[in-house]
Amino acid sequence: MAERSCTVDACGNVVSKRTSYIEWEEYFMAIALLSAKRSKDPCTQVGACIVNNDKKIVGIGYNGMPRGCEDDQFSWSKGPMDSLDAKSLYVCHAEVNAVLNKNSSDVKDCTIYVALFPCNECAKVIIQSGIRTVVYLSDEKAEKPKTIAAKKMFDAAGVTYRPYSLRNEKIEINFGDIRCNETRKNLSETPTKCKKEDETKEE
């Protein structure tokens, strides 16, 4: 159950906003990670979330097969790279899908939140689409040529990139919370009689 952090008065009525809400960056990175749960890749699940300057989500994507290419008809094997069984020949990365799935005319000057630092191919798409900032959770492939090439292109094109600043190790989504919230709402709509006020009136 989500933590309920707020101020209550002497009668038990809530008098302030909840303070345990997640920050904007936590929200956007969490959306990227939740999107990754849709990936069928057995080894690496990656999600991406594109956000404009008004803090509106304009694109979401995860790594998967192209539209029309059935997941069960193509290989999910890592390689060898010169084999038709290599998944890299078919899979669309999360960043590419997020750009292609955009719900706005463009993603110019936007920020993309990604679980894993983009590869060189995704870097090309990010640069060409006009995205200006990359926020990543993991850079575990930092020593790989594809990642080094991606950073080299970002530096040349003026695309900034930075690691995500971890605030919470875990954000829980509990579908049962909505029922709890309904109960709280119904209780809050019931008039609360304050003993102190009643005692004052009697005097």
Side-chain angles (χ1 to χ4, degrees), residues 172-190:
E172 184 181 54
I173 297 177
N174 186 343
F175 288 100
D177 277 350
I178 189 66
R179 291 193 293 273
C180 294
N181 289 335
E182 274 300 316
T183 302
R184 291 193 197 112
K185 181 182 177 184
N186 293 335
L187 288 173
S188 65
E189 289 175 351
T190 303

Side-chain angles (χ1 to χ4, degrees), residues 7-131:
T7 304
V8 295
D9 63 15
C11 300
N13 298 312
V14 177
V15 295
S16 72
K17 70 179 182 181
R18 185 171 65 89
T19 58
S20 58
Y21 57 86
I22 60 176
E23 300 293 336
W24 280 114
E25 289 222 322
E26 288 181 288
Y27 174 56
F28 299 137
M29 187 58 79
I31 292 293
L33 295 179
L34 184 61
S35 299
K37 296 294 185 182
R38 280 285 307 152
S39 175
K40 313 301 191 307
D41 193 315
C43 297
T44 308
Q45 301 84 44
V46 181
C49 177
I50 302 174
V51 182
N52 67 17
N53 290 327
D54 293 323
K55 292 184 171 60
K56 292 182 179 179
I57 296 173
V58 295
I60 297 173
Y62 56 88
N63 58 316
M65 294 296 173
R67 198 169 292 166
C69 298
E70 294 297 328
D71 300 318
D72 297 325
Q73 295 178 3
F74 287 82
S75 173
W76 289 99
S77 172
K78 283 189 173 182
M81 297 299 291
D82 59 351
S83 167
L84 285 176
D85 286 333
K87 67 179 180 180
S88 60
L89 296 176
Y90 311 109
V91 172
C92 291
H93 285 189
E95 299 91 327
V96 174
N97 278 330
V99 172
L100 294 176
N101 291 337
K102 67 182 184 298
N103 57 16
S104 59
S105 58
D106 60 57
V107 291
K108 186 178 179 181
D109 298 327
C110 287
T111 297
I112 185 167
Y113 292 80
V114 291
L116 189 63
F117 197 96
C119 70
N120 61 311
E121 293 298 328
C122 290
K124 297 173 188 177
V125 174
I126 288 170
I127 293 169
Q128 292 297 82
S129 67
I131 291 173

